[in-house]
């Protein structure tokens, strides 16, 4: 046991130290660049949201002025009030909430059994069904626009809130089913088997063991469905005239309105997504295996 | 009484036959080990008995009830899973109580049973905890406690120790054995670890490619392997196999290994006569060969390739012809790498086997079984 260099290396002590120092520098550099990249991405996403929020809470005069502010001084709810008092906005917001909640409920009711079947069972036509679910997304809704409108008119379902909810359910189901399936796939099958050994029927095992473990993930999927419906604009424009949802209403009046209306509308549309992401963050993290 | 009978069980997965016409009887309160390499069908057989995977054909009887097509919950069985499978959203208490609650046992009974099981597994102080806050060894204990608290006559265990680290496994092995002798349950224990099988089982069923090759007590499986595979799978080191040529010398059958001649005992003479002029396997365990430092007329001279001191004994690697053998010696035995050594073969300890089928040649089945 000596403190000298190993006989196999021909490098001097100073040279070895230099190599070690260089390796450390490179390691630090790599870490620094990863952080820099992460910060850049965060700014890329957060900055527009922040600017929209600043505008929404500035006075209408400030919104029209130039240069724009970075912080809302003076803080004012005038712009938001102006937006909310516009004709039809509150009604549209109510429609949006009704459609989104109906979509959430229908979508979850269908997606839970469907997702469970896809996650757990190997049945004939399983891959075909999977593909079929995805293919709903493969058709651009523009292609379906005319036949859809015609069908809805013929069935006397045109311009109804519930008919838009049905449409949104069809649109969100692929995403919801696949998310729910991945949630169920994350619950070890052995747990279900254990439940069945210790006295459960398959249904009881599902209710007592699988559901409690899958619930957070299913809730996250449901909220995602809500946000998807809330943001959806094309089908909303297509299928409603008097019963417009919020994005349809905003889009409809966009070219006739000024900057304050646009910023306030943008902020209002952002709200549910931000609130819900804040609440489901924990579940999303656990789904992705990140520890806070 | 809970005797378990499996009759002509067959289970296929597509073209792969996982269980190939297996029949097995496990006596009441017996500890039966299903042992074999991965993919041999041992877990599939256990799952068929548990009701977690239906057989294609065949029958499973537990006690006096044909359970072949019953749900697991109607089979009156209990099970310990390889990955513990304890419920993460329940406390340890609720985990152990789960089966009893499903059975709608009275609260006082549940409380009593859970505490009793927890005490047996030394986890009384963990009852309020959630599994997420526990180590692997503790979760294992919860899984076993849950299984015994359910209080059934049959206990199934699917590689329960394989996820524990080596030291803990050793500790749990002894503890489990002690625990199970107290419980008077019929146990089926699946493992790929032959030492676990030898140390715990009343009987071992050695499986390979969906078939049971031998079902016998640990000592018999070890000393009298039914074929080449069982001999080489069980024991550490595995049984040594030499190629021997059967020859007739005057009226006696001899087995020649190189220049060296073995003289099979009288009861083997008739059986080996059939193999006159053919090769057979000569199987012998490392500890059954007698190493000698000096030559004797009945010993074979060999060269020592490797000496491995293992504490309690030394393991020597030697070769005879092209066959490599392991010989275990007393640690004081003077053997040097590259040195010479003489080996004497105690003829009664040799297991003779057909070179093609690998099956052990035995004079008379009754005699061996006796």
């Amino acid at each position: 046991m000596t403190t000298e260099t190993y006989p196999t290396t021909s490098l001097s002590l100073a040279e070895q130290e230099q190599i070690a120092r260089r390796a450390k520098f490179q390691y630090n550099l790599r870490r620094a660049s990863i952080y820099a990249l992460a910060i850049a991405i965060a700014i890329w996403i957060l900055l527009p949201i922040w600017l929209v929020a600043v505008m929404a809470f500035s006075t209408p005069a400030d919104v029209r002025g130039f240069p724009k502010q970075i912080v809302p001084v003076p803080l004012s709810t005038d712009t938001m009030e102006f937006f909310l008092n516009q004709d039809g906005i509150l009604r549209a917001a109510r429609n949006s909430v009704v459609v989104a909640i109906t979509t959430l409920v229908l979508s979850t009711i269908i997606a839970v059994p469907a997702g469970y079947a896809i996650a757990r069972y190997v049945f004939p036509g399983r891959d075909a069904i999977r593909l079929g679910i995805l293919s709903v997304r493969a058709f651009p809704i523009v292609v379906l626009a005319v036949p859809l409108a015609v069908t809805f008119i013929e069935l006397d379902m045109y311009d109804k809130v519930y008919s838009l909810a049905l449409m949104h359910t069809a649109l969100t189901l692929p995403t919801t089913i696949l998310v729910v399936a991945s949630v169920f796939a994350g619950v070890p099958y052995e747990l279900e088997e254990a439940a069945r050994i210790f006295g459960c029927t398959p249904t009881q095992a599902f209710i007592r063991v699988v559901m409690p473990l899958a619930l957070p993930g299913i809730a996250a999927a449901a909220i995602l469905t809500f946000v998807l419906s809330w943001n959806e604009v094309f089908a909303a424009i297509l299928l409603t005239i008097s019963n417009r949802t919020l994005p349809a209403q905003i889009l409809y009046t966009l070219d006739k309105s000024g900057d304050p209306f646009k910023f306030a509308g943008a902020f209002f549309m952002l709200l549910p997504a931000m609130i819900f992401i804040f609440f489901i963050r924990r579940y999303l993290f656990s789904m992705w295996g990140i520890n806070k | 009484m809970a005797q378990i009978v499996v009759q002509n069980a067959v289970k296929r997965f597509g073209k792969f036959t996982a269980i190939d016409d297996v029949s097995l009887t496990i006596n009441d309160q017996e500890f039966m080990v299903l042992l074999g390499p991965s993919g041999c069908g041992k877990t599939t057989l256990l799952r068929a008995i548990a009701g977690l995977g239906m057989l294609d054909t065949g029958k499973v009887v537990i006690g006096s009830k044909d359970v072949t097509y019953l749900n697991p919950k109607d089979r009156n069985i209990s099970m310990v899973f390889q990955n513990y499978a304890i419920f993460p959203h329940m406390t340890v208490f609720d985990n152990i109580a789960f089966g009893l609650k499903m059975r709608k046992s009275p609260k006082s009974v549940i409380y009593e049973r859970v505490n009793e099981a927890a005490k047996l597994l030394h986890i009384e102080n963990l009852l309020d905890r959630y599994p997420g806050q526990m180590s692997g060894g503790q979760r294992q204990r919860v899984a076993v406690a849950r299984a015994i608290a359910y209080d059934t006559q049959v206990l199934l265990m699917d590689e329960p120790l394989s996820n524990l680290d080596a030291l803990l496994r050793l500790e749990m092995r002894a503890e489990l054995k002690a625990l199970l002798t107290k419980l008077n349950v019929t146990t089926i224990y699946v493992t790929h670890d032959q030492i676990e099988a030898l140390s715990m089982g009343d009987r071992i069923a050695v499986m390979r490619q969906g078939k049971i090759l031998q079902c016998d007590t640990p000592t018999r499986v070890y000393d009298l392997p039914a074929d080449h595979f069982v001999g080489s799978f069980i024991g550490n080191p595995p049984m040594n196999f030499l190629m021997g040529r059967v020859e007739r010398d005057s009226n006696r059958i001899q087995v020649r290994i190189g220049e060296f001649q073995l003289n099979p005992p009288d009861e083997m003479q008739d059986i080996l006569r059939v193999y006159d002029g053919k090769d057979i396997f000569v199987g012998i365990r490392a500890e059954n060969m007698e190493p000698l430092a000096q030559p004797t007329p009945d010993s074979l001279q060999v060269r020592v390739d490797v000496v491995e001191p293992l504490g309690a004994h030394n393991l020597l690697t030697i070769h005879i012809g092209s066959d490599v053998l392991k010989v275990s010696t007393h640690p004081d035995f003077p053997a040097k790498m590259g040195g010479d050594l003489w080996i004497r073969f105690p003829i009664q300890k040799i297991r003779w086997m057909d070179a093609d089928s690998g099956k052990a040649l035995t004079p008379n089945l009754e005699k061996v079984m006796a």
Side-chain angles (χ1 to χ4, degrees):
Chain A
M1 290 293 150
T2 62
T3 53
E4 286 164 39
T5 53
Y6 294 105
T8 46
T9 159
S10 57
L11 296 173
S12 73
L13 216 64
E15 279 172 321
Q16 287 185 23
E17 246 168 50
Q18 202 196 341
I19 290 173
R21 224 178 303 129
R22 207 180 302 150
K24 192 182 172 196
F25 175 72
Q26 279 172 356
Y27 170 76
N28 283 336
L29 190 68
R30 241 192 330 265
R31 272 175 66 93
S33 24
I34 289 173
Y35 271 99
L37 191 68
I39 290 168
I41 292 174
I43 289 175
W44 165 264
I45 292 169
L46 290 177
L47 196 61
I49 296 178
W50 175 247
L51 290 180
V52 166
V54 168
M55 289 295 109
F57 288 97
S58 298
T59 58
D62 279 335
V63 174
R64 289 196 196 89
F66 201 84
K68 307 283 188 207
Q69 304 151 289
I70 312 256
V71 279
V73 186
L75 195 69
S76 147
T77 53
D78 290 353
T79 305
M80 284 308 285
E81 273 170 34
F82 168 71
F83 167 75
L84 291 174
N85 288 332
Q86 288 279 314
D87 200 26
I89 288 292
L90 279 180
R91 199 173 117 85
R94 209 194 58 215
N95 281 343
S96 263
V97 170
V98 171
V99 169
I101 287 178
T102 316
T103 305
L104 179 154
V105 170
L106 289 178
S107 194
T108 308
I109 286 174
I110 300 171
V112 165
Y116 184 79
I118 285 176
R120 280 286 190 266
Y121 298 112
V122 181
F123 51 88
R126 176 169 177 258
D127 292 336
I129 286 178
R130 244 186 170 150
L131 214 64
I133 291 169
L134 275 178
S135 69
V136 176
R137 303 287 324 174
F139 282 105
I141 190 167
V142 184
V143 177
L144 300 173
V146 174
L148 261 177
V150 171
T151 311
F152 273 65
I153 290 168
E154 278 177 355
L155 293 174
D156 199 18
M157 290 167 67
Y158 193 72
D159 198 18
K160 301 264 170 31
V161 170
Y162 75 86
S163 61
L164 184 58
L166 284 180
M167 188 62 218
H168 279 182
T169 304
L171 287 176
T172 55
L173 260 184
T175 320
T176 318
I177 290 178
L178 293 184
V179 171
V180 169
S182 79
V183 169
F184 281 130
V187 179
Y189 191 47
E190 256 193 353
L191 293 181
E192 235 170 297
E193 292 187 329
R196 292 180 58 200
I197 292 278
F198 294 105
C200 286
T201 63
T203 320
Q204 284 173 321
F206 180 80
I207 292 168
R208 282 171 179 269
V209 173
V210 182
M211 263 326 254
L213 293 171
L215 213 52
I218 290 172
I223 286 169
L224 184 70
T225 309
F226 184 96
V227 172
L228 283 176
S229 164
W230 175 269
N231 290 340
E232 204 284 331
V233 66
F234 192 90
I237 289 178
L238 187 70
L239 296 180
T240 55
I241 294 172
S242 56
N243 284 314
R244 291 207 188 280
T245 57
L246 193 58
Q249 182 69 24
I250 291 175
L251 197 67
Y252 185 66
T253 50
L254 207 53
D255 49 345
K256 299 169 206 151
S257 37
D259 284 350
F261 178 85
K262 288 176 190 166
F263 279 115
F267 181 75
F268 198 72
M269 288 300 300
L270 268 171
L271 263 186
M274 289 185 14
I275 293 170
F276 286 133
I277 295 286
F278 180 76
F279 278 117
I280 67 176
R281 200 175 54 128
R282 205 157 61 86
Y283 299 124
L284 287 180
F285 279 3
S286 73
M287 259 168 81
W288 297 328
I290 307 167
N291 294 318
K292 346 156 209 245
Chain B
M1 285 296 287
Q3 185 195 44
I4 303 170
V5 181
V6 179
Q7 270 174 23
N8 304 103
V10 176
K11 173 78 180 178
R12 293 190 189 87
F13 295 109
K15 280 184 180 164
F16 176 73
T17 306
I19 311 178
D20 191 358
D21 195 19
V22 164
S23 295
L24 179 67
T25 300
I26 298 129
N27 300 320
D28 183 40
Q29 300 187 13
E30 188 177 25
F31 192 124
M32 172 66 84
V33 177
L34 303 180
L35 173 69
S38 56
C40 71
K42 55 190 191 299
T43 294
T44 312
L45 182 58
L46 187 81
R47 290 173 59 85
I49 294 167
L52 296 171
M54 292 289 171
L55 289 173
D56 293 337
T57 59
K59 204 166 141 183
V60 180
V61 180
I62 297 178
S64 52
K65 195 157 87 176
D66 182 344
V67 299
T68 315
Y69 299 105
L70 290 185
N71 274 321
K73 71 182 188 73
D74 301 321
R75 297 188 177 209
N76 194 23
I77 51 165
S78 177
M79 186 160 168
V80 179
F81 289 81
Q82 184 175 5
N83 301 319
Y84 320 140
I86 50 179
F87 308 124
H89 58 300
M90 296 179 193
T91 61
V92 169
F93 183 95
D94 288 334
N95 262 286
I96 301 175
F98 187 84
L100 298 168
K101 281 182 183 165
M102 290 309 297
R103 205 189 266 156
K104 297 199 165 60
S105 305
K107 275 226 164 67
S108 58
V109 174
I110 294 178
Y111 185 80
E112 193 181 313
R113 284 258 178 77
V114 171
N115 279 300
E116 199 181 334
K119 202 171 276 174
L120 280 173
L121 273 303
H122 310 296
I123 48 171
E124 311 99 295
N125 53 339
L126 300 178
L127 286 175
D128 296 330
R129 295 247 211 123
Y130 282 91
Q133 312 160 323
M134 298 190 308
S135 69
Q138 290 172 326
R139 288 181 208 191
Q140 180 58 59
R141 284 171 186 276
V142 175
V144 175
R146 178 178 64 179
I148 62 177
Y150 197 39
D151 196 29
T152 52
Q153 290 182 321
V154 175
L155 179 57
L156 307 175
M157 304 184 125
D158 185 7
E159 310 217 17
L161 303 184
S162 65
N163 283 355
L164 301 179
D165 63 63
L167 205 63
L168 203 55
R169 196 180 313 165
L170 207 67
E171 194 186 302
M172 268 306 262
R173 198 170 75 196
E175 207 177 311
L176 260 188
K177 187 171 181 176
L179 181 65
L180 292 173
T181 36
K182 268 186 248 165
L183 286 177
N184 303 328
V185 289
T186 311
T187 309
I188 306 182
Y189 186 104
V190 164
T191 182
H192 61 264
D193 181 339
Q194 42 103 10
I195 299 190
E196 231 167 83
L198 289 171
S199 63
M200 296 180 85
D202 289 329
R203 277 197 296 161
I204 302 174
V206 185
M207 294 186 67
R208 188 200 192 188
Q209 292 174 353
K211 283 186 189 300
I212 292 178
L213 301 176
Q214 185 172 11
C215 181
D216 233 328
T217 61
T219 14
R220 281 190 186 292
V221 169
Y222 185 82
D223 289 334
L224 304 168
D227 68 3
H228 185 280
F229 173 79
V230 176
S232 57
F233 189 72
I234 289 178
N236 185 21
M239 188 174 239
N240 294 303
F241 291 101
L242 290 157
M243 267 301 188
R245 171 63 59 94
V246 180
E247 279 174 1
R248 194 192 298 253
D249 186 9
S250 66
N251 210 19
R252 230 176 134 72
I253 289 291
Q254 306 276 337
V255 175
R256 196 163 57 80
I257 297 167
E259 297 305 307
F260 187 70
Q261 287 208 324
L262 290 170
N263 186 8
D266 295 343
E267 67 268 21
M268 290 301 299
Q269 287 288 332
D270 284 342
I271 296 151
L272 291 176
R273 205 175 300 276
V274 184
Y275 289 87
D276 192 5
K278 289 188 196 151
D279 285 339
I280 61 164
F281 283 131
V282 176
I284 183 151
R285 293 232 171 247
E287 66 276 20
N288 287 339
M289 280 181 276
E290 222 177 295
L292 304 166
Q294 303 296 328
T296 58
D298 57 347
S299 66
L300 171 65
Q301 186 181 5
V302 295
R303 178 68 50 89
V304 179
D305 295 333
V306 187
V307 179
E308 294 168 82
L310 297 176
H313 64 277
N314 286 358
L315 193 62
L316 315 184
T317 305
I318 60 169
H319 64 271
I320 298 176
S322 59
D323 297 313
V324 176
L325 276 75
K326 302 278 185 190
V327 181
S328 97
T329 69
H330 194 271
D332 295 338
F333 184 81
K336 275 203 214 71
M337 272 157 85
D340 281 338
L341 173 77
W342 286 265
I343 300 265
R344 187 153 55 191
F345 293 91
I347 209 75
Q348 291 295 346
K349 297 282 189 186
I350 290 177
R351 196 78 171 147
W352 316 89
M353 289 175 187
D354 186 298
D356 295 325
S357 70
K359 288 254 181 301
L361 306 171
T362 47
N364 164 340
L365 231 55
E366 281 75 51
K367 212 168 182 177
V368 174
M369 289 300 182

